[in-house]
Amino acid sequence: MPTLSVFTDVPLAHKLEGSLLKTYRQDDCPNKLFLAYRACMTKEGRPWVSVVVQKTRLQISQDPSLNYEYLPTMGMKSFIQASLELLFGKHSQAIMENRVGGVHTVGDSGAFQLGARFLRTWRRDANVVYVISSQQEPHGRIFQDMGFTVHECSIWDPKKLRMDPNILFSVEIPRGCVLVIGNIVDCRLTQSQWAKFMSTLKSKRIFPFFDIPCQGLHNGDLEEDARILRYFVSGGFEFFCSQSLSRSFGIYDEGVGVLVVVALNNQHLLCVLSQLMSFARALWLNPPTAGARIITSILCNPALLGEWKQSLKEVVENIMLTKEKVKEKLRLLGTPGSWDHITEHSGTHGYLGLNPQQVEYLVKKKHIYIPKNGRINFTCINANNIDYITQGISEASSERKKTLIGIKV
Amino acid sequence: MPTLSVFTDVPLAHKLEGSLLKTYRQDDCPNKLFLAYRACMTKEGRPWVSVVVQKTRLQISQDPSLNYEYLPTMGMKSFIQASLELLFGKHSQAIMENRVGGVHTVGDSGAFQLGARFLRTWRRDANVVYVISSQQEPHGRIFQDMGFTVHECSIWDPKKLRMDPNILFSVEIPRGCVLVIGNIVDCRLTQSQWAKFMSTLKSKRIFPFFDIPCQGLHNGDLEEDARILRYFVSGGFEFFCSQSLSRSFGIYDEGVGVLVVVALNNQHLLCVLSQLMSFARALWLNPPTAGARIITSILCNPALLGEWKQSLKEVVENIMLTKEKVKEKLRLLGTPGSWDHITEHSGTHGYLGLNPQQVEYLVKKKHIYIPKNGRINFTCINANNIDYITQGISEASSERKKTLIGIKV
């Protein structure tokens, strides 16, 4: 009798990721294009790495004085400090009051994992999580797996083709819940609108959990990209924030993150950090240092810091230029519809504003691989492929129009 | 009225680690010594790094062709392959039958975290975990946090001052449980004793979960240090194994691990790996690459591989030499008791065989910092401190003896 496997009842898991990339890779068409890479890409179609990172990596590898001993569970102290100052400003009142701290994590997933565990244990009554973002966030699942009830809502309005800040006011967020505020740099509220929003959160005792995944890559301005956090600090909020700097430096493969904690005073902060450490100990014991070491070396050296900031500006300028070109080419091709939304939003990724049929047309007929929601990485567009892509978008848009008015093509 | 903190009910967590190191650091005594570092230390008292690692790190940092894009959730394929071959041998039948696989994890904590989650979800009836090891393992807590009932037993017999393999037979391990088999290289069973043990596990449908935290650092022989796994493979077992190579290369700060899966056939393996991936996605999304890249470069290059193996041999020889010297010096000092257990056991860490009072004497009177169980890192002993340490041990042992026979000193 053959032995029965222990794993007999384990089914194949549903594909969660990479199926678009997989299909793209298996596609034999020479013109195929993939516009959904998570990393920021260069004009040559390679993952962007800030020039200063290469230099620093080399310098580190040549430094005989470095110690590769285990980090404490909390992580690299100097890295946490430098990251917090980047987020809140070197002269942040809250930092000076010792009520801002952080735990070095394995990327943003690690930060959410850690934060969610803490909330699960120490805020037992808060079992609802609202996620507000401009896209589908993977973090919702982390909360779900831990038993939270998760609601997600996007501030992107696919009909009006713009980010709709009103969603913040129209959604009925339940009292005492956790509110994950995703990457919503493009959600332009006035300061008084923020004040109104914050007052609602406060009166309902809602706990904010921010996600800052690519500071500097939206406006090329580090302060601007973290402004919302500073509002909340000055509004007297306590909150968590997942800060990941991997993408802003081009060290995608390292997952360098911090779970940032803002508390009302130092005593509470220390308690929270100590509990977080005990969770981190079970999760990864010591966070990996390679990426953190590179980032810290850059942040703590004024010359390197300057070079990095300059490299961010160049990337952002290049993104805006690409978006302008795409819009202009679509106009010249007589593509139906308005394409202003492309240049109205910042960052590497943005919505093309195509419907599912149009996306399908691009994937199936043009071999241009785009996620179903039409949100692409604009840095995947370069001089070599912009004509093919805009031509494709134009065809897809006209195609849809023709189908709609009943012309069979 | 001042605002009430959200964190009001969060107490300070109990210190879980590092308190001995902290006390050591705060000690002003110039003679103070710390003998409990987790890393393997050099004669100069610095964390050991295999020479070939430094070279490889430099080479990698100078390679302009490298891509720093996100890894898939599964991790670095070439790294997993090379790690599996290191564990089971290049010509392992099981590897050829495609029924051995792995997921790249954040160190061994990550591997246990991932494996425990899988078992929690897919073996719901198995809620008891037995941990057999030669020391207190941090992994027990991971299972405990997930709701498993954890029992730990050590094969170290503090009375007989030796590893006692009979514990494997005397402990009543319940049917269907998970058995974590820690680092028990020193538990020398004959092949027929292993066979007997395996037959018990099989009849009780006990699922083994191995921990191989420092292959090569016990006997300086990679095959020898993983022999137990090969027994289980040839015994037709399905199992998990946490494989961490950080320590064997001296890349302590990277946490490079693999959760190894051995299944009866490829179909089961693929199902298990796919489920593990969905857990890994929530845990860290993409594992960090820096350490894995260094290790893979070495394992896949015969010349570098040879150099690495040589460096392991040197470390192990040095450990044995240190242990011999310690024993000889204790003998010359006329220290009461037998010290053969020091040289009878392999690896960087080992028991001194001191009781709590003797350990306390060393810490308090001699400023030699040793954990309560008396398990020290022998690589912390070098030419500069061996006399002070052996003198201290000798005093502690005599001290205890004097107290016992009623002489007040």
Side-chain angles (χ1 to χ4, degrees):
Chain A
M1 198 186 80
T3 321
L4 199 66
S5 170
V6 176
F7 304 124
T8 305
D9 299 332
V10 181
L12 206 64
H14 291 293
K15 279 264 173 295
L16 283 166
E17 57 152 353
S19 46
L20 189 70
L21 185 59
K22 208 168 174 184
T23 324
Y24 162 74
R25 286 197 175 132
Q26 288 164 349
D27 187 342
D28 287 331
C29 173
N31 295 330
K32 68 175 179 177
L33 289 169
F34 189 73
L35 304 189
Y37 288 110
R38 285 166 60 210
C40 180
M41 306 300 274
T42 64
K43 288 177 189 169
E44 295 75 32
R46 300 201 56 195
W48 170 80
V49 179
S50 175
V51 277
V52 71
V53 165
Q54 294 288 31
K55 199 158 69 176
T56 310
R57 183 179 280 125
L58 187 59
Q59 221 164 42
I60 287 173
S61 69
Q62 287 168 329
D63 185 345
S65 74
L66 281 178
N67 188 320
Y68 293 94
E69 171 61 300
Y70 298 98
L71 278 186
T73 299
M74 176 69 84
M76 199 185 270
K77 240 182 172 173
S78 53
F79 163 67
I80 298 170
Q81 188 61 25
S83 303
L84 293 176
E85 288 178 0
L86 196 70
L87 209 52
F88 298 106
K90 253 194 161 58
H91 306 292
S92 153
Q93 184 73 20
I95 290 182
M96 294 212 231
E97 288 165 9
N98 286 317
R99 59 186 188 85
V100 175
V103 177
H104 178 168
T105 66
V106 183
D108 40 14
S109 285
F112 272 101
Q113 183 70 235
L114 197 57
R117 279 180 185 225
F118 176 91
L119 295 170
R120 181 77 293 198
T121 309
W122 292 108
R123 278 176 62 94
R124 289 198 171 274
D125 46 333
N127 54 8
V128 174
V129 173
Y130 254 79
V131 184
I132 286 184
S133 186
S134 60
Q135 57 169 118
Q136 178 81 27
E137 290 287 352
H139 314 311
R141 190 159 162 237
I142 293 175
F143 287 96
Q144 218 159 22
D145 286 350
M146 268 179 236
F148 287 92
T149 305
V150 177
H151 301 275
E152 305 206 28
C153 60
S154 173
I155 59 162
W156 168 252
D157 184 332
K159 282 196 189 112
K160 293 185 196 142
L161 296 177
R162 65 180 179 86
M163 301 297 171
D164 181 9
N166 292 317
I167 197 108
L168 295 180
F169 300 102
S170 59
V171 175
E172 190 54 51
I173 308 169
R175 181 168 289 275
C177 82
V178 175
L179 178 68
V180 174
I181 301 174
N183 191 13
I184 55 166
V185 175
D186 278 325
C187 177
R188 295 183 208 288
L189 291 181
T190 62
Q191 210 159 338
S192 77
Q193 281 176 309
W194 276 123
K196 188 183 154 201
F197 182 57
M198 290 195 290
S199 129
T200 313
L201 298 192
K202 225 172 206 172
S203 68
K204 287 176 143 183
R205 290 188 68 76
I206 288 167
F207 184 78
F209 197 145
F210 294 93
D211 185 18
I212 305 284
C214 46
Q215 197 185 352
L217 280 179
H218 271 273
N219 300 295
D221 177 334
L222 291 157
E223 294 213 9
E224 188 57 34
D225 284 0
R227 190 168 301 280
I228 175 174
L229 285 192
R230 303 194 185 182
Y231 286 153
F232 274 78
V233 170
S234 56
F237 272 84
E238 294 184 303
F239 61 81
F240 282 173
C241 172
S242 156
Q243 176 187 26
S244 170
L245 288 168
S246 303
R247 208 176 293 181
S248 307
F249 284 84
I251 324 179
Y252 313 98
D253 59 345
E254 288 305 326
V256 195
V258 178
L259 175 64
V260 177
V261 181
V262 177
L264 282 190
N265 59 45
N266 180 255
Q267 195 192 337
H268 289 311
L269 176 69
L270 293 181
C271 290
V272 175
L273 291 178
S274 76
Q275 297 291 349
L276 287 173
M277 280 221 288
S278 79
F279 292 117
R281 195 173 141 82
L283 278 171
W284 48 68
L285 199 53
N286 324 95
T289 58
R293 190 171 264 148
I294 294 172
I295 291 174
T296 313
S297 304
I298 296 169
L299 293 181
C300 296
N301 175 317
L304 297 178
L305 179 65
E307 279 186 63
W308 173 57
K309 285 183 178 171
Q310 185 53 37
S311 74
L312 283 176
K313 277 209 173 72
E314 284 165 15
V315 168
V316 170
E317 278 166 20
N318 201 45
I319 294 171
M320 284 318 292
L321 205 65
T322 302
K323 289 179 176 173
E324 289 289 355
K325 279 187 196 157
V326 169
K327 196 170 94 171
E328 179 61 10
K329 281 188 190 275
L330 288 175
R331 192 186 66 77
L332 290 174
L333 287 165
T335 318
S338 153
W339 299 89
D340 287 339
H341 57 282
I342 290 180
T343 50
E344 271 163 10
H345 299 113
S346 66
T348 51
H349 288 67
Y351 289 92
L352 274 178
L354 300 180
N355 61 37
Q357 291 86 342
Q358 290 166 334
V359 169
E360 200 187 335
Y361 180 89
L362 283 180
V363 176
K364 293 271 167 69
K365 304 268 176 180
K366 309 300 287 183
H367 304 266
I368 299 173
Y369 288 80
I370 286 178
K372 280 201 182 99
N373 62 5
R375 192 167 181 270
I376 67 159
N377 180 347
F378 279 94
T379 66
C380 296
I381 303 179
N382 56 45
N384 295 325
N385 60 28
I386 190 167
D387 287 324
Y388 183 70
I389 291 168
T390 47
Q391 182 66 44
I393 296 173
S394 190
E395 279 178 31
S397 305
S398 315
E399 179 74 7
R400 178 73 188 128
K401 204 132 207 175
K402 281 184 217 157
T403 318
L404 276 175
I405 56 174
I407 303 171
K408 195 86 185 159
V409 282
Chain B
M1 199 189 77
T3 322
L4 198 65
S5 170
V6 176
F7 305 124
T8 306
D9 299 332
V10 182
L12 205 63
H14 290 293
K15 281 263 172 299
L16 282 165
E17 57 150 352
S19 45
L20 189 70
L21 186 59
K22 210 169 174 182
T23 324
Y24 162 75
R25 285 197 176 131
Q26 288 164 349
D27 187 342
D28 287 331
C29 173
N31 295 329
K32 67 175 179 177
L33 288 170
F34 189 73
L35 304 188
Y37 288 110
R38 286 167 59 211
C40 180
M41 307 300 273
T42 64
K43 289 177 189 170
E44 294 75 32
R46 300 201 55 193
W48 170 79
V49 179
S50 175
V51 277
V52 71
V53 165
Q54 296 287 32
K55 199 158 70 176
T56 310
R57 184 181 278 123
L58 187 61
Q59 219 164 44
I60 287 173
S61 69
Q62 287 168 328
D63 185 345
S65 75
L66 280 178
N67 188 319
Y68 293 95
E69 172 61 301
Y70 298 98
L71 278 187
T73 298
M74 176 68 85
M76 199 185 270
K77 240 183 174 174
S78 52
F79 163 67
I80 298 171
Q81 188 60 25
S83 303
L84 293 176
E85 288 178 1
L86 196 69
L87 210 52
F88 298 106
K90 253 195 161 60
H91 306 292
S92 152
Q93 185 73 20
I95 290 182
M96 295 212 228
E97 287 166 9
N98 286 317
R99 58 188 189 83
V100 175
V103 177
H104 178 168
T105 66
V106 184
D108 41 13
S109 285
F112 273 101
Q113 184 70 237
L114 197 58
R117 280 181 184 223
F118 176 91
L119 295 170
R120 182 76 293 196
T121 308
W122 294 107
R123 277 176 62 93
R124 289 197 173 275
D125 46 334
N127 54 6
V128 174
V129 173
Y130 254 78
V131 184
I132 286 185
S133 187
S134 59
Q135 57 169 120
Q136 178 81 29
E137 290 287 351
H139 314 311
R141 200 174 146 224
I142 293 175
F143 287 97
Q144 216 158 22
D145 287 351
M146 269 179 232
F148 288 91
T149 304
V150 177
H151 301 276
E152 305 204 27
C153 60
S154 173
I155 60 161
W156 168 252
D157 184 331
K159 282 194 192 116
K160 295 187 193 140
L161 297 176
R162 63 180 180 87
M163 302 296 171
D164 180 9
N166 292 317
I167 197 107
L168 296 179
F169 300 102
S170 59
V171 175
E172 190 52 50
I173 308 167
R175 181 167 288 277
C177 82
V178 175
L179 177 67
V180 175
I181 301 175
N183 191 12
I184 55 166
V185 175
D186 277 326
C187 177
R188 297 184 207 288
L189 291 182
T190 62
Q191 209 158 339
S192 77
Q193 281 176 308
W194 276 123
K196 188 184 154 200
F197 182 57
M198 292 195 291
S199 128
T200 311
L201 298 192
K202 224 170 208 174
S203 69
K204 287 175 140 185
R205 290 188 69 76
I206 287 167
F207 184 77
F209 196 145
F210 294 93
D211 185 19
I212 305 284
C214 45
Q215 197 184 351
L217 280 179
H218 271 273
N219 299 297
D221 177 332
L222 291 157
E223 293 213 9
E224 188 57 35
D225 284 2
R227 189 168 302 279
I228 176 175
L229 284 192
R230 303 194 186 180
Y231 286 153
F232 274 79
V233 171
S234 55
F237 271 84
E238 295 185 302
F239 60 83
F240 283 173
C241 172
S242 155
Q243 176 188 26
S244 169
L245 289 168
S246 304
R247 209 176 293 180
S248 307
F249 284 84
I251 325 178
Y252 314 98
D253 60 344
E254 289 304 327
V256 196
V258 178
L259 175 64
V260 177
V261 181
V262 177
L264 282 191
N265 59 43
N266 179 254
Q267 194 192 338
H268 288 312
L269 176 70
L270 293 181
C271 290
V272 175
L273 291 178
S274 75
Q275 297 291 348
L276 287 173
M277 280 221 287
S278 78
F279 292 117
R281 197 173 140 81
L283 278 171
W284 46 69
L285 199 53
N286 324 95
T289 58
R293 191 172 264 149
I294 293 173
I295 292 175
T296 313
S297 304
I298 295 169
L299 293 182
C300 296
N301 175 316
L304 298 178
L305 179 64
E307 280 186 64
W308 174 58
K309 285 183 178 172
Q310 186 53 37
S311 74
L312 284 175
K313 278 210 172 71
E314 284 165 15
V315 168
V316 170
E317 276 167 19
N318 202 44
I319 294 171
M320 283 318 292
L321 204 64
T322 303
K323 289 180 177 174
E324 289 289 355
K325 281 187 197 158
V326 169
K327 196 170 93 171
E328 179 59 10
K329 281 186 190 278
L330 288 174
R331 192 186 66 79
L332 291 173
L333 288 165
T335 317
S338 154
W339 298 91
D340 288 339
H341 57 282
I342 291 181
T343 50
E344 271 164 10
H345 299 114
S346 65
T348 52
H349 289 65
Y351 289 93
L352 275 179
L354 299 179
N355 61 38
Q357 292 87 339
Q358 291 167 335
V359 168
E360 200 187 336
Y361 180 89
L362 283 179
V363 176
K364 293 271 166 70
K365 304 269 176 177
K366 310 301 287 184
H367 305 265
I368 299 174
Y369 288 79
I370 286 179
K372 280 200 185 102
N373 62 7
R375 192 167 181 269
I376 68 158
N377 180 346
F378 279 94
T379 66
C380 297
I381 303 178
N382 56 45
N384 295 325
N385 60 27
I386 189 165
D387 287 325
Y388 183 70
I389 292 168
T390 46
Q391 183 65 45
I393 296 172
S394 190
E395 280 177 32
S397 304
S398 315
E399 179 76 6
R400 179 74 189 126
K401 207 134 204 173
K402 282 182 218 159
T403 318
L404 276 175
I405 56 175
I407 304 172
K408 195 90 187 160
V409 282

